[in-house]
Amino acid sequence: MKKLVLLFTLAFAFSLQAQKIPNATFTDCNGNTQDIYSVLATGKVLVLASKGLDCGICKSHAANFQNFISQNSSTIAGWGAMIWLYQGGTPNCSDVNNWVSTYSWTDVFTFVDANKEYLQGGTPRYYVINPADSMIVYSGGNFSQMQQMALMYASGLSVEEDVLNDVKIYQKNEQTLMLQTAVTLSGNTQAALYNLVGQVEQVWTELNPTSNGYELQVSRDLNAGVYLLHVNNNGTEVTQKVIWKP
């Protein structure tokens, strides 16, 4: 049976609205040319980083970005769109090559963003793009959130077409989450609640069935915000967002 990806765009504090990224073609300083849609056609998640050559935070993230892309190169592609943030003007290849050499960006396709197409409110800015539909599923400057979103989409969490595709999750009260689905969940079903930096808040190995669905009792105090609930029913998986209000 055909698989469907059921990952949901998250409502972050900055109220990102998912949108399809337009195709664009760029050439690096070694004459190599790539375009966005061709990269996505390989099935890889694309992480496009807008970086300022004169940006201190960008420099502090640079080595970790290379390491992240290198460690996940089979499922995630990394691009670096380089600009001058403060000094103005357009970088040249000597400027970009110096950056590539300094931070060993051997796995990051790096180019001069001459028109500052990906500059939005400062640098660094990370765009995570889902290969399934070319949608931007994360746009922001948080390195940890970028990693979490890229890894989540790269993991290919999927479910059978007729199983768990109607899941609804909501907060019932200050101590309970409700999970509703037309499917009868087995005794092997597990659920895990994650925060947006990938930390596990709570794991349930047993779900309490009620007439209105399945109850998940929350045993710890949670801060208000967005969380991810991952449900595994005999190897069939779905992930949805939960907006928690104490």
Side-chain angles (χ1 to χ4, degrees), residues 17 25 116 140 145 220:
Q17 297 297 315
T25 301
K116 297 185 176 180
Q145 288 182 359
R220 61 183 302 174

Side-chain angles (χ1 to χ4, degrees), residues 144-155:
S144 294
Q145 288 182 359
M146 174 275 288
Q147 289 179 294
Q148 177 67 17
M149 290 298 289
L151 289 170
M152 188 172 71
Y153 277 84
S155 71

Side-chain angles (χ1 to χ4, degrees), residues 163-164 179 181 183-191 204-209 214 231-236:
V163 180
L164 293 184
L179 187 156
T181 176
V183 176
T184 300
L185 301 179
S186 73
N188 295 325
T189 299
Q190 294 187 357
W204 293 267
T205 56
E206 294 184 5
L207 278 62
N208 181 33
Y214 295 86
V231 181
N232 186 320
N233 179 45
N234 287 329
T236 300

Side-chain angles (χ1 to χ4, degrees), residues 56 62 68 79 81 119 128 164 172 183 215 225 237:
F68 176 68
W79 281 17
L119 175 63
V128 178
L164 293 184
K172 179 180 179 180
V183 176
E215 288 186 348
E237 299 171 303

Side-chain angles (χ1 to χ4, degrees), residues 6 15 21 36 46 71 74-75 84 114-115 126 128 137 139 178 181 192 207 209 211 218 224 237 239 241 243:
L6 290 184
S15 301
I21 192 168
I36 292 173
L46 176 59
Q71 292 167 5
S74 62
T75 55
W84 287 121
N115 296 320
Y126 300 100
V128 178
V137 293
S139 172
M178 288 297 300
T181 176
L207 278 62
S211 59
V218 179
E237 299 171 303
T239 301
K241 72 178 180 182
I243 299 176

Side-chain angles (χ1 to χ4, degrees), residues 169-174 176-178 242-246:
I169 299 167
Y170 63 92
Q171 181 181 353
K172 179 180 179 180
N173 54 46
E174 292 183 356
T176 310
L177 291 172
M178 288 297 300
V242 177
I243 299 176
W244 183 262
K245 298 179 180 180

